[in-house]
């Protein structure tokens, strides 16, 4: 009897293992099939992390825009981009971890025949496309000409570079097509909770897409005025209208989904950064009430910035405010304040965007201050100052509206280093200066682009050499992208 029982148990065990043999070999922690929603969420997270991180290996834009200064290791403030492979790390994250996931998500969504709601499928594809356009725009604005039409093809490891202006043309076309597809009608759906920015709200994505279109329009306005005018005027009636429209990414109090500023400044227990004297001196002169939410006061009182490009003693200068370094402090991909400044720029160029340059300028400052919790009375007092009041500031400005709007836009972009750096490059204000020659003998101006990754020069050499030869000034950090003209 025991032998029969043992035989039956062995037969059952062998049979069970044989029937489920393939299942037993599946590594559940490394799936071979990933839902499109997971890829979309992952792309959002990687994009936001990259644009938010202060990590010196890839996210040095707060240094380039002179919001922060280094303490012990000032190399990045002196524009050593190569030693840590910074351009390469930024490039890889956006191509490999963001665009590849978005591209794969679109492939899976398109092939999925199980959708019960055709509008939901169309909305998912359109929103993914908008996220792609946003990411491509960042790459173009950072490097200039980049691989585009031949990029993301696993069968082509040597993609050619496309002309940056032509890429912008195509991005406008793609963005318009995506916006035309979005359906925000009653009961409309998209990604739901997998959308970590708008929780699947299609109406918000329509506003985001149009705000992105406005942003791209003012970016190219100096070189393609008629195209910029048409795009800005078409987008303006449909852009952000309040802080509630902000494209905000909510981090959590506990790892792993935490604010990368916390990870790099608090969790790592490193004191590598202080406020830069560039931004502190300007805000002190203007008695800007945002100094309190931006920075800490020094022991003797007041706000003091470290010398940009020099070694700085951490204990002597103002630090990043603890609210910003909290693990759950949110990150922004686009804000209402930002959009109002773009509208101010458009109005100053006499584009028909409704409202004056002054009204949008004021709205941009007000929105920034409300976001940072500044009381209304202090906002009003700030706007009344002769150096801030649009009319009086414009009358005194040698640089015209670019100087007036550019300065306030740059201040409002605190903690969004890439956008602050891009504002400086687009408008030439504020007129940031490179560190003194004693600190930085190789650079007499602030970098205006990232150089291409070292891997491109080695692995994609023929295409790299071709594009590098076409850049005025060559593949150096002081060359300019196509829209950045003198």
């Amino acid at each position: 009897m025991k032998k029969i029982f043992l035989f039956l148990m062995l037969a059952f065990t062998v049979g069970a293992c044989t029937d489920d043999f393939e299942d037993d070999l599946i590594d559940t922690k490394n799936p071979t099939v990933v839902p499109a929603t997971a890829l979309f969420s992952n792309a959002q997270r990687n994009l936001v992390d990259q644009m938010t991180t202060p990590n010196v290996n890839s996210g040095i834009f707060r240094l380039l825009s002179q919001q922060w200064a280094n303490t012990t290791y000032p190399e990045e403030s002196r524009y050593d981009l190569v030693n840590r492979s910074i351009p390469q790390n930024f490039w890889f994250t956006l191509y490999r971890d963001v665009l590849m996931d978005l591209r794969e998500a679109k492939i899976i969504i398109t092939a999925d025949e199980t959708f019960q709601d055709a509008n939901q499928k169309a909305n998912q594809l359109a929103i993914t496309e908008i996220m792609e356009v946003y990411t491509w725009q960042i790459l173009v604005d950072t490097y200039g000409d980049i691989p585009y039409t031949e990029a993301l093809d696993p069968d082509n490891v040597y993609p050619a570079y496309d002309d940056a202006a032509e890429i912008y043309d195509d991005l406008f076309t793609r963005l318009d097509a995506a916006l035309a597809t979005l359906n925000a009608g009653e009961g409309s759906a998209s990604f739901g909770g997998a959308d970590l920015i708008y929780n699947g709200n299609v109406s918000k994505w329509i506003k985001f897409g149009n705000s992105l279109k406005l942003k791209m329009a003012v970016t190219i306005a100096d070189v393609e005025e008629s195209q910029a005018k048409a795009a800005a005027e078409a987008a303006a009636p449909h852009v952000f209208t309040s802080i509630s429209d902000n494209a905000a990414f909510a981090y959590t109090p506990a790892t792993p989904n935490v604010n990368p500023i916390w990870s790099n400044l608090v969790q790592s227990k490193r004191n590598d950064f202080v406020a830069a004297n560039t931004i502190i001196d300007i805000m002190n002169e203007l008695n800007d009430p945002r100094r309190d939410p931006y920075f800490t006061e020094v022991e003797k009182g007041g706000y003091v910035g470290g010398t940009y490009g020099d070694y700085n003693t951490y204990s002597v200068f103002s630090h990043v405010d603890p609210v910003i370094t909290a693990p759950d402090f949110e990150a922004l991909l686009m804000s209402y304040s930002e959009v109002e400044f773009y509208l101010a720029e458009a109005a100053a160029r006499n584009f028909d965007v409704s409202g004056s340059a002054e009204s949008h300028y004021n709205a941009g400052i007000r929105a920034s201050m409300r976001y940072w919790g500044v009381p209304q009375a202090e906002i009003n007092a700030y706007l009344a100052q002769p150096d801030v009041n649009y009319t009086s500031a414009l009358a005194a400005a040698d640089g015209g509206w670019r100087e007036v709007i550019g300065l306030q836009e740059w201040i409002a972009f605190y903690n969004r280093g890439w956008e602050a750096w891009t504002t400086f490059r687009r408008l030439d204000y504020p007129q940031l200066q490179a560190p003194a020659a004693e600190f930085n003998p190789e650079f007499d101006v602030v970098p205006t682009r990232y150089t291409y990754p070292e891997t491109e020069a080695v692995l994609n050499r023929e295409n790299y050499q071709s594009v590098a030869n076409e850049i005025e000034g060559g593949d150096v950090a002081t060359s300019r992208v196509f829209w950045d003209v003198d």
Side-chain angles (χ1 to χ4, degrees):
M1 184 67 179
K2 290 181 179 179
K3 291 181 180 180
I4 295 175
F5 178 76
L6 180 59
F7 173 80
L8 291 174
M9 287 296 294
L10 288 170
F12 176 78
T13 302
V14 172
C17 290
T18 302
D19 291 343
D20 300 325
F21 182 70
E22 291 185 359
D23 291 342
D24 290 339
L25 294 179
I26 294 175
D27 182 358
T28 57
K29 294 184 179 180
N30 293 285
T32 57
V33 178
V34 181
T37 51
L39 290 167
F40 180 78
S41 299
N42 199 54
Q44 285 187 324
R45 165 65 188 276
N46 283 322
L47 175 61
V48 173
D49 277 359
Q50 178 56 76
M51 301 308 292
T52 304
T53 184
N55 189 294
V56 291
N57 294 305
S58 62
I60 66 166
F61 298 113
R62 291 176 184 82
L63 298 173
L64 293 182
S65 60
Q66 300 188 15
Q67 298 177 344
W68 292 4
N70 295 98
T71 55
T72 309
Y73 308 103
E75 287 81 6
E76 288 74 43
S77 293
R78 299 175 179 181
Y79 311 136
D80 179 359
L81 306 181
V82 179
N83 188 48
R84 295 182 185 271
S85 300
I86 296 168
Q88 180 167 300
N89 295 331
F90 188 79
W91 174 283
F92 280 178
T93 297
L94 266 60
Y95 270 110
R96 179 195 61 206
D97 301 332
V98 179
L99 287 171
M100 282 296 291
D101 277 359
L102 292 172
R103 181 67 57 89
E104 187 64 22
K106 285 199 302 186
I107 292 172
I108 295 172
I109 294 167
T110 301
D112 190 347
E113 299 179 355
T114 65
F115 271 94
Q116 300 298 313
D117 184 347
N119 284 332
Q120 182 183 15
K121 184 173 186 176
N123 284 339
Q124 286 191 0
L125 288 170
I127 292 169
T128 306
E129 180 80 340
I130 291 171
M131 286 293 299
E132 266 204 61
V133 170
Y134 182 95
T135 308
W136 283 117
Q137 162 256 320
I138 291 170
L139 280 166
V140 171
D141 292 352
T142 304
Y143 298 92
D145 297 351
I146 56 170
Y148 178 68
T149 56
E150 294 184 7
L152 309 179
D153 181 358
D155 295 325
N156 181 8
V157 295
Y158 308 112
Y161 285 67
D162 293 78
D163 179 79
E166 293 178 4
I167 296 174
Y168 247 77
D169 289 343
D170 191 57
L171 294 179
F172 275 118
T173 300
R174 291 173 62 178
L175 187 55
D176 284 340
L179 287 168
T181 304
L182 285 173
N183 184 342
E186 185 177 352
S188 63
S190 63
F191 284 102
D195 173 7
L196 304 178
I197 296 174
Y198 286 129
N199 198 36
N201 188 318
V202 179
S203 296
K204 296 289 188 184
W205 278 108
I206 292 174
K207 287 188 175 184
F208 179 90
N210 279 286
S211 299
L212 174 58
K213 184 175 179 179
L214 173 66
K215 175 184 182 179
M216 292 168 58
V218 298
T219 297
I220 65 167
D222 283 341
V223 293
E224 296 289 350
E225 184 176 11
S226 60
Q227 181 184 18
K229 184 176 187 294
E233 291 176 354
H238 312 290
V239 297
F240 290 175
T241 55
S242 73
I243 291 174
S244 65
D245 293 327
N246 284 358
F249 187 97
Y251 286 110
T252 60
T255 56
N257 299 312
V258 293
N259 172 14
I261 304 173
W262 175 84
S263 301
N264 284 271
L265 271 65
V266 179
Q267 185 186 43
S268 64
K269 298 181 180 179
R270 297 186 65 91
N271 298 326
D272 290 337
F273 306 106
V274 294
N277 60 338
T278 310
I279 190 170
I280 288 288
D281 291 349
I282 290 173
M283 295 183 77
N284 280 342
E285 185 177 347
L286 295 174
N287 195 29
D288 195 312
R290 286 168 292 188
R291 287 171 298 175
D292 178 49
Y294 284 7
F295 305 109
T296 64
E297 292 192 63
V298 297
E299 186 176 349
K300 294 181 180 180
Y303 302 90
V304 182
T307 302
Y308 183 75
D310 196 3
Y311 295 91
N312 292 287
T313 303
Y314 183 78
S315 60
V316 175
F317 300 106
S318 294
H319 306 152
V320 182
D321 191 274
V323 171
I324 296 171
T325 63
D328 58 347
F329 185 70
E330 70 179 18
L332 297 177
L333 281 187
M334 192 175 292
S335 71
Y336 170 54
S337 171
E338 168 185 358
V339 170
E340 283 291 352
F341 282 117
Y342 296 150
L343 289 171
E345 291 182 42
R349 294 178 182 274
N350 296 316
F351 295 174
D352 185 7
V353 294
S354 181
S356 65
E358 181 175 8
S359 66
H360 289 299
Y361 165 88
N362 289 340
I365 294 173
R366 289 185 184 279
S368 171
M369 291 196 170
R370 284 197 298 269
Y371 178 80
W372 290 100
V374 176
Q376 187 63 47
E378 294 184 24
I379 297 175
N380 294 339
Y382 183 76
L383 286 169
Q385 294 182 134
D387 288 341
V388 178
N389 174 272
Y390 188 79
T391 301
S392 59
L394 188 62
D398 294 332
W401 64 264
R402 293 172 181 270
E403 180 178 346
V404 177
I405 296 174
L407 176 63
Q408 290 297 330
E409 193 171 330
W410 174 77
I411 295 173
F413 271 136
Y414 178 69
N415 198 45
R416 297 181 62 198
W418 187 88
E419 286 81 5
W421 176 55
T422 301
T423 294
F424 152 73
R425 294 184 295 151
R426 289 193 306 105
L427 300 179
D428 298 319
Y429 287 94
Q431 295 185 324
L432 304 179
Q433 303 298 317
E438 61 186 290
F439 303 140
N440 188 24
E442 296 183 11
F443 279 83
D444 58 0
V445 295
V446 178
T448 46
R449 62 181 287 271
Y450 267 6
T451 54
Y452 293 120
E454 302 95 316
T455 51
E456 285 294 291
V458 175
L459 301 179
N460 194 13
R461 184 170 182 79
E462 183 176 342
N463 290 313
Y464 165 78
Q465 288 288 0
S466 177
V467 73
N469 291 338
E470 293 177 1
I471 299 174
E472 184 177 352
D475 180 26
V476 295
T478 52
S479 297
R480 298 169 180 260
V481 297
F482 78 99
W483 44 254
D484 185 7
V485 295
D486 291 330

